[in-house]
């Protein structure tokens, strides 16, 4: 075996070992947020076309990069309000930080089960609404008056068990979307997953696909679905298998990694760059490559 072939074999072996460790951590075929990694190796929905036939979001990156400063300024002038679900998670935290840095919204509201603590001055005007997700109908007023909503809500089977995972990732998300629609939200952004498919054999991908379809039925003026691959980030909690997977994808050439993995900050920037772009599409789906490209168009000075 040549040196290059040996390195590739070792890398693949390390990835497989990491995936097996992840499976042990979640103990079951319906495991939480690492389930797409198993589908990735098994060939499930590697380049999944949109299951409902809507166009993928298309754009010219150089032109988007050039237009971003004006798009952001025009967006700010509209004085829009936004809510974030899941601001305590890895993606939600970065999303809030980027929103504040770009000063895109006149009002920011975090909706969650507990109040978050922020020490930085930049967070002083962030509104926080504490809700009981088991009784969301009692908090309908919390979802009123927001122009844009970002849903980064989610858990894992390891944390919540199979029933708890379904309750959070499906029931809480759907009820929140329903209340947001009733409250006047025009643009709903859903963080989903690569390979999401309501007919999947994997519980995680099945639930993600079901949620995508059922939120679409609510008929938001604009509905954006983001399907990232492996999220590259440094979690605070210890997940050895996930750490190995992140290191594996983080070491790949960009041309390879952009198909199956993406840094959390790139996902967030893609979400925001997409939000400030006018669109006549009622439903738009961004896969990992589209997310990677649009998020990398963000190399412009902040105001």
């Amino acid at each position: 075996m040549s040196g290059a072939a040996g390195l590739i074999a070792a890398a693949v072996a390390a990835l497989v070992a990491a995936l097996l460790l992840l499976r042990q951590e979640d103990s079951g075929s319906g495991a939480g947020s690492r389930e797409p990694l198993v589908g990735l190796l098994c060939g499930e929905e590697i380049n999944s076309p949109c299951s409902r036939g809507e166009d993928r979001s298309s754009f010219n990156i150089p032109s988007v990069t050039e237009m971003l400063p004006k798009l952001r300024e025009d967006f700010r002038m509209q004085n829009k309000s936004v809510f974030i679900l899941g601001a305590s998670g890895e993606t939600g935290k970065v999303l809030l930080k980027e929103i504040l840095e770009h000063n895109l919204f006149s009002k920011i509201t975090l909706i969650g089960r507990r109040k978050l603590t922020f020490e930085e001055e930049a967070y002083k005007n962030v509104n926080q609404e504490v809700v009981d997700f088991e009784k969301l109908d009692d908090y309908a007023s919390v979802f009123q008056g927001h122009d844009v909503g970002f849903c980064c809500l989610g858990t894992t089977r390891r944390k919540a068990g199979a029933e708890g995972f379904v309750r959070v990732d499906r029931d809480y998300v759907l009820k929140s979307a329903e209340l947001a629609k009733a409250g006047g939200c025009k643009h709903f952004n859903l963080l989903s997953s690569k390979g999401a498919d309501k007919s999947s054999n994997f519980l995680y991908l099945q639930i993600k696909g079901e949620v995508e379809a059922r939120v679409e039925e609510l008929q938001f003026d604009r509905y954006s679905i983001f399907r990232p691959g492996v999220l590259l980030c440094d979690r605070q909690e210890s997940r050895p298998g996930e750490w190995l997977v992140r290191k594996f994808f983080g070491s790949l050439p960009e041309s390879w990694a952009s198909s199956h993995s993406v840094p959390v900050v790139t996902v967030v920037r893609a979400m925001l760059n997409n939000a400030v772009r006018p669109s006549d599409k009622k439903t738009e789906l961004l896969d990992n490559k589209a997310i990677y490209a649009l998020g990398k168009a963000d190399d412009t000075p902040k105001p």
Side-chain angles (χ1 to χ4, degrees), residues 103-295:
N103 193 29
L104 291 174
F105 296 93
S106 60
K107 182 180 179 181
I108 304 168
T109 301
L110 310 183
I111 302 175
R113 60 184 177 83
R114 60 184 174 86
K115 189 171 184 178
L116 305 180
T117 301
F118 302 108
E119 297 180 357
E120 296 89 340
E121 182 72 11
Y123 292 81
K124 67 177 182 180
N125 293 323
V126 173
N127 301 295
Q128 297 198 56
E129 297 287 352
V130 178
V131 302
D132 181 349
F133 281 99
E134 294 292 332
K135 302 175 182 178
L136 273 181
D137 282 321
D138 295 343
Y139 301 88
S141 61
V142 169
F143 291 87
Q144 293 178 355
H146 307 290
D147 301 295
V148 181
F150 289 98
C151 182
C152 306
L153 199 62
T155 188
T156 66
R157 178 172 176 169
R158 181 174 179 239
K159 281 185 176 180
E163 291 184 7
F165 161 70
V166 173
R167 189 163 63 250
V168 173
D169 281 55
R170 184 189 66 191
D171 300 346
Y172 292 177
V173 171
L174 289 176
K175 175 53 72 171
S176 296
E178 178 185 318
L179 293 174
K181 171 64 177 178
C185 179
K186 304 298 183 185
H187 184 190
F188 190 81
N189 297 267
L190 178 67
L191 182 63
S192 186
S193 171
K194 181 183 180 72
D197 181 353
K198 61 184 179 182
S199 63
S200 173
N201 291 324
F202 292 117
L203 177 63
Y204 179 87
L205 300 179
Q206 175 194 329
I207 293 300
K208 292 296 184 183
E210 179 185 349
V211 169
E212 286 183 4
R214 291 178 63 179
V215 170
E216 185 178 19
E217 293 172 0
L218 296 174
Q219 295 291 303
F220 284 94
D221 288 1
R222 185 180 179 188
Y223 173 39
S224 302
I225 304 167
F226 297 84
R227 286 184 178 178
V230 178
L231 293 175
L232 304 178
C233 64
D234 293 320
R235 290 188 185 274
Q236 293 180 348
E237 59 185 300
S238 176
R239 297 179 182 178
E242 191 170 294
W243 181 86
L244 284 173
V245 170
R246 289 200 307 271
K247 290 299 181 183
F248 173 82
F249 281 102
S251 66
L252 292 177
E254 184 172 302
S255 58
W256 293 3
S258 63
S259 295
H260 305 304
S261 65
V262 60
V264 165
V265 68
T266 303
V267 175
V268 165
R269 289 172 179 171
M271 295 172 84
L272 294 178
N273 290 347
N274 187 64
V276 302
R277 294 187 305 152
S279 175
D280 57 1
K281 296 176 182 177
K282 195 169 183 66
T283 299
E284 53 194 355
L285 187 152
L286 287 84
D287 63 11
N288 199 77
K289 281 190 174 182
I291 291 169
Y292 201 97
L294 187 55

